[in-house]
Amino acid sequence: MKTRRIGPFEVSAIGLGCMNLSHAYGTPPPRDVAAAVLNGALDGGITLFDTAALYGFGANEELLGSLLAQHRERIVLTSKCGMQGVNGQRVIDGLPDTIRASVEASLKRLRTDVIDVLYLHRLDFKVPIEDSVGAMADLVRAGKVRALGLSEVSAATLRRAHAVHPIAALQTEYLLWTRNPEIAVLDACRELGIAFVAFSPLARGFLGGELRDVSKLEPKDIRRAMPRFSAEHYAANLKLLDAFQDEAARLHCAPATLALAWLLQKGDDIIPIPGTSRPEHLWALIAAPQLQLDGATLQRLDALINRHTVSGARYNAATQAEIDTEEF
């Protein structure tokens, strides 16, 4: 496994986003299957594991704590504060007291004394970013967190936060069909020496190639509320997927491997964190750092799937109103 850097840490070039082991995409897998995913990732050389207080309203952190505690010295463990479940509802709260309490609870669930990278999950528009990051910086000084990150924020917010305490990583969605980071925040990360962690790099399963019928998504699957997965837009997007799969077949690789390889070649400061709930899919993720794409292939992929060719918005209007990232 090739490696890249996040702040003081050397991590695998591909991390594992653990959200869907407990959250968001319908019924989570059984515990033994989740364990097989985590252990398979470890065996494949993955050392970066990403979770959040929100995922499963604490269940995902508990899962990782119970299964990865014995491997704690081998891994870089990241989690997020600032968005969590309160009385069964998702709440964005960046107040310093809330952040401190959230992290104490996360440490217990994760069965660790320290979180390697703590992200602010979402900007709370009611709380100055300086106050939220100031509370997170206090946790670094207390030895409960090693490095800080931000999730889904703009370049301007990133700069304000970095002025309070060095930011090691910026996490946001980046892949063929979501190019928003190219507006400003990716350049800001490079100017400031901040690692870019790309979540949902497989388009929430779309680029894996197996999701053909969105009508079969479970009622609580969050993709049901995302315009690109609506029946209206998905039919158009499937035409792009057919051509993308043809490209993967030409290269004798899995579609997921191709999607991740494209992203890895966008810069050695980019670390994708794909997720899966199926251990048999891990090989396609782990293979990506070894796949080198030539210039002609990169150009074809860029022309095939981009913000002009994809049908539908990334988020619905209500969710987009909560997001601080730049939009085209």
Side-chain angles (χ1 to χ4, degrees):
M1 174 62 72
K2 296 180 179 181
T3 61
R4 297 190 169 188
R5 294 204 66 84
I6 294 180
F9 305 108
E10 184 176 9
V11 301
S12 51
I14 294 282
L16 186 71
C18 299
M19 179 182 75
N20 60 357
L21 298 179
S22 307
H23 186 84
Y25 298 142
T27 304
R31 180 182 171 84
D32 62 328
V33 175
V37 170
L38 295 173
N39 289 326
L42 282 168
D43 291 343
I46 290 177
T47 60
L48 177 65
F49 291 83
D50 182 89
T51 183
L54 176 71
Y55 301 159
F57 292 4
N60 197 241
E61 289 182 324
E62 290 176 351
L63 177 71
L64 266 64
S66 64
L67 296 175
L68 295 181
Q70 62 183 318
H71 305 291
R72 185 66 185 89
E73 298 307 313
R74 294 174 52 192
I75 67 174
V76 173
L77 185 60
T78 76
S79 193
K80 308 178 194 71
C81 62
M83 184 160 63
Q84 57 192 321
V86 178
N87 298 323
Q89 299 296 317
R90 179 177 64 84
V91 174
I92 298 172
D93 185 344
L95 288 169
D97 285 347
T98 303
I99 286 173
R100 284 188 283 267
S102 175
V103 171
E104 290 294 344
S106 290
L107 289 167
K108 291 179 181 177
R109 289 190 292 261
L110 291 166
R111 303 187 189 184
T112 187
D113 295 327
V114 62
I115 295 169
D116 294 318
V117 182
L118 176 70
Y119 293 93
L120 184 69
H121 204 154
R122 291 267 175 90
L123 175 66
D124 183 344
F125 289 107
K126 303 183 299 298
V127 179
I129 188 64
E130 290 82 0
D131 291 357
S132 297
V133 173
M136 296 164 69
D138 288 341
L139 292 165
V140 175
R141 287 185 283 270
K144 297 180 179 182
V145 172
R146 291 193 171 110
L148 300 185
L150 300 177
S151 176
E152 295 211 277
V153 300
S154 64
T157 299
L158 176 62
R159 293 180 190 281
R160 287 171 58 190
H162 193 69
V164 175
H165 186 281
I167 301 299
L170 184 284
Q171 181 175 145
T172 199
E173 185 175 340
Y174 186 34
L175 65 152
L176 280 161
W177 82 353
T178 298
R179 307 293 187 93
N180 305 64
E182 296 172 0
I183 299 171
V185 79
L186 186 54
D187 285 341
C189 284
R190 288 172 172 163
E191 177 189 332
L192 299 170
I194 296 169
F196 189 100
V197 176
F199 74 73
S200 297
L202 300 179
R204 302 182 185 274
F206 172 74
L207 290 176
E210 295 184 7
L211 180 59
R212 287 280 169 175
D213 186 355
V214 291
S215 70
K216 294 181 179 179
L217 293 175
E218 293 186 29
K220 292 186 178 181
D221 192 309
I222 63 171
R223 290 172 289 189
R224 283 191 169 274
M226 294 178 172
R228 289 176 183 175
F229 291 91
S230 69
E232 171 193 1
H233 293 294
Y234 205 69
N237 291 329
L238 281 176
K239 297 176 183 178
L240 304 178
L241 181 60
D242 290 337
F244 181 76
Q245 289 184 297
D246 289 344
E247 195 71 32
R250 184 184 67 82
L251 294 168
H252 306 290
C253 70
T257 306
L258 179 58
L260 294 171
W262 175 88
L263 188 52
L264 287 165
Q265 287 185 228
K266 283 293 181 178
D268 59 10
D269 53 349
I270 295 174
I271 304 163
I273 52 167
T276 183
S277 59
R278 295 169 60 180
E280 64 269 24
H281 284 172
L282 283 168
W283 70 269
L285 314 185
I286 293 166
Q290 308 304 323
L291 178 61
Q292 292 298 307
L293 306 177
D294 61 29
T297 299
L298 291 170
Q299 287 180 356
R300 284 195 299 274
L301 295 176
D302 277 324
L304 174 63
I305 303 179
N306 58 63
R307 70 185 183 91
H308 300 292
T309 63
V310 169
S311 182
R314 181 166 75 110
Y315 288 131
N316 61 36
T319 302
Q320 186 58 54
E322 301 176 343
I323 306 295
D324 183 49
T325 51
E326 292 91 355
E327 297 297 316
F328 287 107

